[in-house]
Amino acid sequence: MSAEIICVGTELLLGDILNSNAQFLAQQLAQLGIPHYYQTVVGDNPERLKQVIEIAISRAQILIFTGGLGPTPDDLTCEAIADFFGVPLVERADIIEDITRKYALRDRLMTPSNRKQALIPQGAEILPNPTGTAPGIIWQPRPELTIFTFPGVSSEMYRMWQETTVPFLKSQGWGKEIIYSRMLKFWGIAESALAEKVSSYLNLPNPTVAPYAAKGEVRLRVSASSASQAAAQELISPVEKQLKDIAGLDYYGADDDTLASVVGELLRSAGETLSVAESCTGGGLGQMLTEISGSSEYFWGGVISYDNSVKVGLLGVNPEDLAKFGAVSATVAEQMAIGVRSRLATTWGLSITGVAGPGGGTDTKPVGLVYIGLAGANGEVESFEYRFGAVRGRSLIRHVSACTALDNLRRKLLSSVLNKNV
């Protein structure tokens, strides 16, 4: 028993709209333990839509459509489905009544085009839409085949799924097992290097372990299939511990954790504070930190020292060092960290200076060269050099720089904790 997700809409093919509906449905199917192996996006064309249906019914027993249920001529989902199975569309008076009522609540009259939304394949049941005007359908045109249709509006689809579809699926005996996952997150190690370290875990049957990489971060998804979330967690727990032990400090958190939230919790636990000085990241580091609720307990502020005059005037960077080593240098990164820590009177000062590109690079200081400075209350200061490469592009270089700065502080804070416990 498997499901297939079919998203209808030319705007999806053109990239005008992000296909978040497919992501939501995939996650929901996993939670119900219903496998799905294919997702299809098709434009607003009845012939191509029928071709998609023909392929889908050969490999799945549940077809889930989103989009194409509106009142305009290009909304063709129900029409194409009915035509494929050779049944007529029938107008449902109860749907017209529901649409009329919803328009009246908005002090509007139902337009003639909305009657199209009351046409559903003969024999199909209505999948109620509590908020929008386009209902979906639940239909079993053949034994062992169930079709669901949803509007493309995400908020409407989410509610229809939770309130009607999930109970229906469970009533049919689907969803007896659930798939529960933990997403382990790592920074400072390449996907290939981590995959090599944990290679013996990548072929486990249950739980399964799969590596992912995006924007400098590496993840291991650990998924277990079981009768309940608690039972799945029991399967995952020992594997998760072993993976963390193998990764060591490269592991930083799981699921909703971010580098900023993990660093924030370490600072909060230690009763310590942080300030930042940024050049090439232009405030991105401060933004990451302040996205965490309650970050004012440990993050006191920062300086965006984009111009050298700010580095000198506000952060106390030595102008002679600027002239000798340049703004993108270990010396300047260290002085920026010392300066912001001193000016804002925090435990830690963290700085970033680099060449984000696409212009500004030289043979000795290419695009992607970044220095991170870290100054502590005991007078210790250190810097770290990274060469992220021009191929990453300006936005990604800035993002990876800010995350790497947080990761350096995370490792320093963890080392301090370990030293105190020795």
Side-chain angles (χ1 to χ4, degrees), residues 182-198 202 209-222 243 247 249-255 257-259 392 396 399-400 403-404 407 410-411:
R182 287 274 287 167
M183 190 68 77
L184 311 185
K185 300 181 178 181
F186 307 82
W187 195 272
I189 186 171
E191 180 186 14
S192 57
L194 181 61
E196 187 173 330
K197 282 188 172 185
V198 302
L202 300 183
V209 179
Y212 301 89
K215 299 180 73 174
E217 181 176 276
V218 182
R219 300 180 177 188
L220 292 176
R221 187 196 66 201
V222 188
L243 293 171
L249 283 177
D250 291 331
Y251 168 80
Y252 80 80
D255 296 335
D257 290 335
T258 65
L259 282 163
R392 290 175 179 263
L396 186 55
H399 173 81
V400 172
C403 289
T404 302
D407 187 58
R410 176 186 70 89
R411 292 170 187 261

CSV table of all heavy atoms in Angstrom, one decimal, residues 182-198 202 209-222 243 247 249-255 257-259 392 396 399-400 403-404 407 410-411:
chain,number,residue,atom,x,y,z
A,182,ARG,N,14.3,11.4,13.7
A,182,ARG,CA,15.1,12.5,14.4
A,182,ARG,C,16.1,13.0,13.4
A,182,ARG,O,16.7,12.2,12.6
A,182,ARG,CB,15.8,11.8,15.6
A,182,ARG,CG,14.9,11.5,16.7
A,182,ARG,CD,14.7,12.7,17.6
A,182,ARG,NE,16.0,13.0,18.4
A,182,ARG,CZ,16.2,14.1,19.1
A,182,ARG,NH1,15.3,15.1,19.1
A,182,ARG,NH2,17.3,14.2,19.8
A,183,MET,N,16.2,14.3,13.3
A,183,MET,CA,17.2,14.9,12.4
A,183,MET,C,18.4,15.4,13.2
A,183,MET,O,18.3,16.4,13.9
A,183,MET,CB,16.5,16.1,11.6
A,183,MET,CG,17.4,16.6,10.5
A,183,MET,SD,17.6,15.4,9.1
A,183,MET,CE,16.0,15.6,8.3
A,184,LEU,N,19.5,14.7,13.1
A,184,LEU,CA,20.7,15.1,13.8
A,184,LEU,C,21.5,16.0,12.9
A,184,LEU,O,21.6,15.8,11.7
A,184,LEU,CB,21.6,13.8,14.1
A,184,LEU,CG,20.8,12.6,14.7
A,184,LEU,CD1,21.8,11.5,15.1
A,184,LEU,CD2,20.1,13.1,16.0
A,185,LYS,N,22.1,17.1,13.5
A,185,LYS,CA,22.7,18.2,12.8
A,185,LYS,C,24.2,18.3,13.1
A,185,LYS,O,24.5,18.2,14.3
A,185,LYS,CB,22.0,19.5,13.0
A,185,LYS,CG,20.5,19.5,12.7
A,185,LYS,CD,19.8,20.8,12.9
A,185,LYS,CE,18.4,20.8,12.5
A,185,LYS,NZ,17.7,22.1,12.7
A,186,PHE,N,25.0,18.6,12.1
A,186,PHE,CA,26.4,18.7,12.3
A,186,PHE,C,27.0,19.9,11.6
A,186,PHE,O,26.5,20.3,10.5
A,186,PHE,CB,27.1,17.4,11.7
A,186,PHE,CG,26.5,16.1,12.2
A,186,PHE,CD1,25.3,15.6,11.7
A,186,PHE,CD2,27.0,15.4,13.3
A,186,PHE,CE1,24.7,14.5,12.2
A,186,PHE,CE2,26.5,14.3,13.8
A,186,PHE,CZ,25.3,13.8,13.2
A,187,TRP,N,28.0,20.5,12.1
A,187,TRP,CA,28.7,21.6,11.5
A,187,TRP,C,30.2,21.4,11.6
A,187,TRP,O,30.7,20.9,12.6
A,187,TRP,CB,28.3,22.9,12.1
A,187,TRP,CG,28.7,24.1,11.2
A,187,TRP,CD1,29.9,24.7,11.2
A,187,TRP,CD2,27.9,24.6,10.2
A,187,TRP,NE1,29.9,25.7,10.2
A,187,TRP,CE2,28.7,25.7,9.6
A,187,TRP,CE3,26.7,24.4,9.7
A,187,TRP,CZ2,28.3,26.4,8.5
A,187,TRP,CZ3,26.2,25.2,8.6
A,187,TRP,CH2,27.0,26.2,8.1
A,188,GLY,N,30.9,21.7,10.5
A,188,GLY,CA,32.4,21.6,10.5
A,188,GLY,C,32.9,20.4,10.0
A,188,GLY,O,34.1,20.1,10.1
A,189,ILE,N,32.1,19.6,9.3
A,189,ILE,CA,32.5,18.3,8.7
A,189,ILE,C,31.7,18.2,7.4
A,189,ILE,O,30.6,18.5,7.3
A,189,ILE,CB,32.2,17.1,9.6
A,189,ILE,CG1,32.8,15.8,9.0
A,189,ILE,CG2,30.7,17.0,9.9
A,189,ILE,CD1,32.8,14.6,9.9
A,190,ALA,N,32.4,17.7,6.4
A,190,ALA,CA,31.8,17.5,5.1
A,190,ALA,C,30.9,16.3,5.1
A,190,ALA,O,31.1,15.4,5.9
A,190,ALA,CB,32.9,17.3,4.0
A,191,GLU,N,29.8,16.3,4.2
A,191,GLU,CA,28.9,15.2,4.1
A,191,GLU,C,29.6,13.9,3.8
A,191,GLU,O,29.3,12.9,4.4
A,191,GLU,CB,27.9,15.5,3.0
A,191,GLU,CG,26.8,14.4,2.9
A,191,GLU,CD,25.9,14.5,1.7
A,191,GLU,OE1,26.2,15.4,0.9
A,191,GLU,OE2,24.9,13.8,1.7
A,192,SER,N,30.6,13.9,2.9
A,192,SER,CA,31.3,12.7,2.5
A,192,SER,C,32.1,12.2,3.7
A,192,SER,O,32.2,11.0,3.9
A,192,SER,CB,32.2,13.0,1.3
A,192,SER,OG,33.1,14.0,1.6
A,193,ALA,N,32.7,13.1,4.5
A,193,ALA,CA,33.5,12.6,5.6
A,193,ALA,C,32.7,12.0,6.7
A,193,ALA,O,33.0,11.0,7.3
A,193,ALA,CB,34.3,13.8,6.2
A,194,LEU,N,31.5,12.7,7.0
A,194,LEU,CA,30.6,12.1,8.0
A,194,LEU,C,30.0,10.8,7.5
A,194,LEU,O,29.9,9.8,8.3
A,194,LEU,CB,29.5,13.1,8.3
A,194,LEU,CG,28.5,12.7,9.4
A,194,LEU,CD1,29.2,12.4,10.7
A,194,LEU,CD2,27.4,13.7,9.5
A,195,ALA,N,29.6,10.7,6.2
A,195,ALA,CA,29.1,9.5,5.7
A,195,ALA,C,30.1,8.3,5.8
A,195,ALA,O,29.7,7.2,6.1
A,195,ALA,CB,28.7,9.6,4.3
A,196,GLU,N,31.4,8.6,5.6
A,196,GLU,CA,32.4,7.6,5.8
A,196,GLU,C,32.5,7.1,7.2
A,196,GLU,O,32.7,5.9,7.5
A,196,GLU,CB,33.7,8.1,5.3
A,196,GLU,CG,34.8,7.1,5.2
A,196,GLU,CD,36.1,7.6,4.5
A,196,GLU,OE1,36.0,8.6,3.7
A,196,GLU,OE2,37.2,7.2,4.9
A,197,LYS,N,32.4,8.1,8.1
A,197,LYS,CA,32.5,7.7,9.5
A,197,LYS,C,31.4,6.8,10.0
A,197,LYS,O,31.6,6.0,10.9
A,197,LYS,CB,32.6,9.0,10.4
A,197,LYS,CG,33.9,9.7,10.4
A,197,LYS,CD,33.8,10.8,11.5
A,197,LYS,CE,35.2,11.5,11.7
A,197,LYS,NZ,35.1,12.5,12.8
A,198,VAL,N,30.2,7.1,9.5
A,198,VAL,CA,29.0,6.3,9.9
A,198,VAL,C,28.5,5.3,8.9
A,198,VAL,O,27.4,4.9,8.9
A,198,VAL,CB,27.9,7.3,10.3
A,198,VAL,CG1,28.4,8.3,11.4
A,198,VAL,CG2,27.4,8.1,9.1
A,202,LEU,N,24.5,3.2,7.5
A,202,LEU,CA,23.6,3.6,6.4
A,202,LEU,C,22.8,2.6,5.8
A,202,LEU,O,22.0,2.9,4.9
A,202,LEU,CB,24.5,4.3,5.4
A,202,LEU,CG,25.3,5.6,5.9
A,202,LEU,CD1,26.1,6.2,4.8
A,202,LEU,CD2,24.4,6.6,6.5
A,209,VAL,N,19.2,5.2,8.4
A,209,VAL,CA,20.0,6.4,8.6
A,209,VAL,C,20.3,6.9,7.2
A,209,VAL,O,20.8,6.2,6.4
A,209,VAL,CB,21.3,6.1,9.4
A,209,VAL,CG1,22.1,7.4,9.5
A,209,VAL,CG2,21.0,5.6,10.8
A,210,ALA,N,20.1,8.2,7.0
A,210,ALA,CA,20.3,8.8,5.6
A,210,ALA,C,21.0,10.2,5.8
A,210,ALA,O,20.5,11.0,6.6
A,210,ALA,CB,19.0,9.0,4.8
A,211,PRO,N,22.1,10.5,5.1
A,211,PRO,CA,22.8,11.8,5.2
A,211,PRO,C,22.2,12.8,4.2
A,211,PRO,O,21.7,12.5,3.1
A,211,PRO,CB,24.2,11.4,4.8
A,211,PRO,CG,24.1,10.2,3.8
A,211,PRO,CD,22.8,9.5,4.2
A,212,TYR,N,22.2,14.1,4.6
A,212,TYR,CA,21.8,15.2,3.8
A,212,TYR,C,22.8,16.3,4.0
A,212,TYR,O,23.4,16.4,5.1
A,212,TYR,CB,20.4,15.7,4.2
A,212,TYR,CG,19.3,14.6,4.0
A,212,TYR,CD1,19.0,13.8,5.1
A,212,TYR,CD2,18.6,14.5,2.9
A,212,TYR,CE1,18.0,12.8,5.0
A,212,TYR,CE2,17.6,13.5,2.7
A,212,TYR,CZ,17.3,12.7,3.8
A,212,TYR,OH,16.4,11.7,3.7
A,213,ALA,N,22.9,17.2,3.1
A,213,ALA,CA,23.7,18.4,3.2
A,213,ALA,C,23.1,19.6,2.6
A,213,ALA,O,22.5,19.5,1.5
A,213,ALA,CB,25.1,18.2,2.6
A,214,ALA,N,23.2,20.7,3.2
A,214,ALA,CA,22.6,22.0,2.7
A,214,ALA,C,23.2,23.2,3.3
A,214,ALA,O,23.2,23.2,4.6
A,214,ALA,CB,21.1,22.0,2.8
A,215,LYS,N,23.7,24.1,2.5
A,215,LYS,CA,24.2,25.4,3.0
A,215,LYS,C,25.2,25.2,4.1
A,215,LYS,O,25.2,25.9,5.2
A,215,LYS,CB,23.0,26.3,3.5
A,215,LYS,CG,22.0,26.6,2.4
A,215,LYS,CD,20.8,27.4,2.9
A,215,LYS,CE,21.3,28.9,3.2
A,215,LYS,NZ,20.1,29.7,3.5
A,216,GLY,N,26.1,24.3,4.0
A,216,GLY,CA,27.2,24.1,4.9
A,216,GLY,C,26.9,23.2,6.0
A,216,GLY,O,27.8,22.8,6.7
A,217,GLU,N,25.7,22.8,6.2
A,217,GLU,CA,25.3,21.9,7.3
A,217,GLU,C,25.1,20.5,6.8
A,217,GLU,O,24.6,20.3,5.7
A,217,GLU,CB,24.0,22.4,8.0
A,217,GLU,CG,23.5,21.6,9.1
A,217,GLU,CD,22.3,22.2,9.8
A,217,GLU,OE1,22.4,23.1,10.6
A,217,GLU,OE2,21.1,21.8,9.4
A,218,VAL,N,25.5,19.6,7.6
A,218,VAL,CA,25.2,18.2,7.3
A,218,VAL,C,24.2,17.6,8.3
A,218,VAL,O,24.3,17.9,9.5
A,218,VAL,CB,26.5,17.3,7.4
A,218,VAL,CG1,26.3,15.9,7.0
A,218,VAL,CG2,27.6,18.0,6.5
A,219,ARG,N,23.3,16.7,7.8
A,219,ARG,CA,22.3,16.1,8.7
A,219,ARG,C,22.2,14.6,8.5
A,219,ARG,O,22.5,14.1,7.4
A,219,ARG,CB,20.9,16.7,8.3
A,219,ARG,CG,20.9,18.3,8.5
A,219,ARG,CD,19.5,18.8,8.2
A,219,ARG,NE,19.4,20.2,8.5
A,219,ARG,CZ,18.2,20.9,8.5
A,219,ARG,NH1,17.1,20.3,8.2
A,219,ARG,NH2,18.2,22.2,8.7
A,220,LEU,N,21.9,14.0,9.5
A,220,LEU,CA,21.6,12.5,9.5
A,220,LEU,C,20.2,12.3,9.9
A,220,LEU,O,19.8,12.7,11.1
A,220,LEU,CB,22.5,11.7,10.3
A,220,LEU,CG,24.0,11.6,9.9
A,220,LEU,CD1,24.8,10.9,11.0
A,220,LEU,CD2,24.2,11.0,8.6
A,221,ARG,N,19.3,11.9,9.0
A,221,ARG,CA,17.9,11.6,9.4
A,221,ARG,C,17.9,10.1,9.9
A,221,ARG,O,18.2,9.2,9.1
A,221,ARG,CB,17.0,11.8,8.2
A,221,ARG,CG,15.5,11.7,8.6
A,221,ARG,CD,14.6,11.5,7.4
A,221,ARG,NE,14.9,10.2,6.8
A,221,ARG,CZ,14.6,10.0,5.5
A,221,ARG,NH1,14.1,10.9,4.7
A,221,ARG,NH2,14.8,8.8,5.0
A,222,VAL,N,17.4,9.9,11.1
A,222,VAL,CA,17.3,8.6,11.7
A,222,VAL,C,15.8,8.3,11.8
A,222,VAL,O,15.1,9.0,12.6
A,222,VAL,CB,18.0,8.5,13.0
A,222,VAL,CG1,18.0,7.0,13.5
A,222,VAL,CG2,19.4,9.0,13.0
A,243,LEU,N,25.8,7.5,17.0
A,243,LEU,CA,26.1,8.5,15.9
A,243,LEU,C,26.7,9.7,16.5
A,243,LEU,O,27.7,10.3,16.0
A,243,LEU,CB,24.9,8.8,15.1
A,243,LEU,CG,24.4,7.7,14.2
A,243,LEU,CD1,23.0,8.1,13.6
A,243,LEU,CD2,25.3,7.3,13.1
A,247,ALA,N,30.6,11.3,16.0
A,247,ALA,CA,30.8,12.6,15.4
A,247,ALA,C,31.5,13.5,16.4
A,247,ALA,O,32.2,14.5,16.0
A,247,ALA,CB,29.4,13.2,15.0
A,249,LEU,N,32.4,16.6,18.6
A,249,LEU,CA,32.0,18.0,18.6
A,249,LEU,C,31.4,18.4,17.3
A,249,LEU,O,30.8,19.5,17.2
A,249,LEU,CB,33.2,18.9,19.0
A,249,LEU,CG,33.6,18.9,20.4
A,249,LEU,CD1,34.9,19.7,20.6
A,249,LEU,CD2,32.5,19.5,21.3
A,250,ASP,N,31.5,17.7,16.2
A,250,ASP,CA,30.9,18.1,15.0
A,250,ASP,C,29.4,18.0,15.1
A,250,ASP,O,28.7,18.7,14.3
A,250,ASP,CB,31.3,17.2,13.8
A,250,ASP,CG,32.8,17.4,13.5
A,250,ASP,OD1,33.3,18.5,13.6
A,250,ASP,OD2,33.5,16.4,13.0
A,251,TYR,N,28.8,17.2,16.0
A,251,TYR,CA,27.4,17.2,16.3
A,251,TYR,C,27.0,18.4,17.1
A,251,TYR,O,27.7,18.7,18.1
A,251,TYR,CB,27.0,15.9,17.0
A,251,TYR,CG,25.6,16.0,17.6
A,251,TYR,CD1,24.5,15.7,16.7
A,251,TYR,CD2,25.3,16.3,18.9
A,251,TYR,CE1,23.2,15.8,17.2
A,251,TYR,CE2,24.1,16.4,19.4
A,251,TYR,CZ,23.0,16.1,18.6
A,251,TYR,OH,21.7,16.2,19.0
A,252,TYR,N,26.0,19.1,16.7
A,252,TYR,CA,25.6,20.3,17.5
A,252,TYR,C,24.2,20.3,18.0
A,252,TYR,O,23.8,21.0,19.0
A,252,TYR,CB,25.9,21.6,16.8
A,252,TYR,CG,24.9,22.0,15.8
A,252,TYR,CD1,23.7,22.6,16.1
A,252,TYR,CD2,25.1,21.8,14.4
A,252,TYR,CE1,22.8,23.0,15.2
A,252,TYR,CE2,24.2,22.2,13.4
A,252,TYR,CZ,23.0,22.8,13.8
A,252,TYR,OH,22.1,23.2,12.9
A,253,GLY,N,23.3,19.5,17.4
A,253,GLY,CA,21.9,19.5,17.9
A,253,GLY,C,21.0,18.7,17.0
A,253,GLY,O,21.5,18.0,16.1
A,254,ALA,N,19.7,18.7,17.3
A,254,ALA,CA,18.7,17.9,16.5
A,254,ALA,C,17.4,18.6,16.3
A,254,ALA,O,17.1,19.6,17.0
A,254,ALA,CB,18.5,16.6,17.3
A,255,ASP,N,16.7,18.2,15.3
A,255,ASP,CA,15.4,18.7,15.0
A,255,ASP,C,15.3,20.2,14.8
A,255,ASP,O,15.9,20.8,13.9
A,255,ASP,CB,14.4,18.2,16.0
A,255,ASP,CG,14.3,16.6,16.0
A,255,ASP,OD1,14.5,16.1,14.9
A,255,ASP,OD2,13.9,16.0,17.0
A,257,ASP,N,16.8,22.5,16.7
A,257,ASP,CA,18.0,23.2,17.1
A,257,ASP,C,18.6,24.0,16.0
A,257,ASP,O,18.7,23.5,14.8
A,257,ASP,CB,19.0,22.3,17.7
A,257,ASP,CG,18.5,21.7,19.0
A,257,ASP,OD1,17.7,22.3,19.7
A,257,ASP,OD2,19.0,20.6,19.4
A,258,THR,N,19.2,25.1,16.3
A,258,THR,CA,20.0,25.9,15.3
A,258,THR,C,21.3,26.2,16.1
A,258,THR,O,21.4,26.1,17.3
A,258,THR,CB,19.4,27.2,14.9
A,258,THR,OG1,19.2,28.1,16.0
A,258,THR,CG2,18.0,27.0,14.2
A,259,LEU,N,22.3,26.5,15.3
A,259,LEU,CA,23.6,26.9,16.0
A,259,LEU,C,23.4,28.1,16.9
A,259,LEU,O,23.9,28.1,18.0
A,259,LEU,CB,24.6,27.3,14.9
A,259,LEU,CG,25.3,26.1,14.2
A,259,LEU,CD1,26.0,26.5,12.9
A,259,LEU,CD2,26.3,25.4,15.2
A,392,ARG,N,30.6,29.4,-4.1
A,392,ARG,CA,29.5,29.4,-3.2
A,392,ARG,C,28.5,30.6,-3.5
A,392,ARG,O,27.3,30.5,-3.2
A,392,ARG,CB,29.9,29.4,-1.8
A,392,ARG,CG,30.5,28.1,-1.3
A,392,ARG,CD,31.0,28.3,0.1
A,392,ARG,NE,31.7,27.0,0.6
A,392,ARG,CZ,31.0,26.2,1.4
A,392,ARG,NH1,29.8,26.3,1.7
A,392,ARG,NH2,31.7,25.1,1.8
A,396,LEU,N,25.6,32.8,0.1
A,396,LEU,CA,26.0,31.6,0.9
A,396,LEU,C,27.3,31.8,1.7
A,396,LEU,O,27.4,31.3,2.8
A,396,LEU,CB,26.2,30.4,-0.1
A,396,LEU,CG,26.4,29.0,0.5
A,396,LEU,CD1,25.3,28.7,1.6
A,396,LEU,CD2,26.5,27.9,-0.5
A,399,HIS,N,26.2,33.5,4.8
A,399,HIS,CA,25.5,32.6,5.7
A,399,HIS,C,26.5,31.6,6.4
A,399,HIS,O,26.4,31.4,7.6
A,399,HIS,CB,24.5,31.8,4.9
A,399,HIS,CG,23.8,30.7,5.6
A,399,HIS,ND1,22.8,30.9,6.5
A,399,HIS,CD2,24.1,29.4,5.7
A,399,HIS,CE1,22.4,29.8,7.1
A,399,HIS,NE2,23.2,28.8,6.6
A,400,VAL,N,27.3,31.0,5.6
A,400,VAL,CA,28.3,30.0,6.1
A,400,VAL,C,29.2,30.7,7.1
A,400,VAL,O,29.6,30.1,8.1
A,400,VAL,CB,29.0,29.3,5.0
A,400,VAL,CG1,30.2,28.4,5.6
A,400,VAL,CG2,28.1,28.4,4.2
A,403,CYS,N,27.4,31.2,10.4
A,403,CYS,CA,27.2,29.9,11.1
A,403,CYS,C,28.5,29.4,11.6
A,403,CYS,O,28.6,28.8,12.8
A,403,CYS,CB,26.6,28.9,10.1
A,403,CYS,SG,24.9,29.2,9.7
A,404,THR,N,29.6,29.6,10.9
A,404,THR,CA,30.9,29.1,11.3
A,404,THR,C,31.4,29.9,12.5
A,404,THR,O,32.0,29.3,13.4
A,404,THR,CB,31.9,29.2,10.2
A,404,THR,OG1,31.4,28.4,9.1
A,404,THR,CG2,33.3,28.6,10.6
A,407,ASP,N,29.7,28.4,15.4
A,407,ASP,CA,30.2,27.1,15.7
A,407,ASP,C,31.5,27.2,16.4
A,407,ASP,O,31.8,26.4,17.3
A,407,ASP,CB,30.4,26.3,14.4
A,407,ASP,CG,30.8,24.9,14.6
A,407,ASP,OD1,30.0,24.2,15.3
A,407,ASP,OD2,31.9,24.4,14.2
A,410,ARG,N,30.6,27.9,19.9
A,410,ARG,CA,30.0,26.7,20.5
A,410,ARG,C,31.1,25.8,21.0
A,410,ARG,O,31.0,25.3,22.1
A,410,ARG,CB,29.1,26.0,19.5
A,410,ARG,CG,28.5,24.7,20.0
A,410,ARG,CD,27.8,24.0,18.8
A,410,ARG,NE,28.6,23.5,17.8
A,410,ARG,CZ,29.2,22.3,17.8
A,410,ARG,NH1,29.0,21.5,18.8
A,410,ARG,NH2,30.0,21.9,16.8
A,411,ARG,N,32.1,25.5,20.2
A,411,ARG,CA,33.1,24.6,20.5
A,411,ARG,C,33.9,25.2,21.7
A,411,ARG,O,34.4,24.4,22.6
A,411,ARG,CB,34.0,24.3,19.3
A,411,ARG,CG,33.3,23.5,18.2
A,411,ARG,CD,34.2,23.5,16.9
A,411,ARG,NE,33.4,22.9,15.8
A,411,ARG,CZ,33.5,21.6,15.5
A,411,ARG,NH1,34.4,20.8,16.1
A,411,ARG,NH2,32.8,21.1,14.4
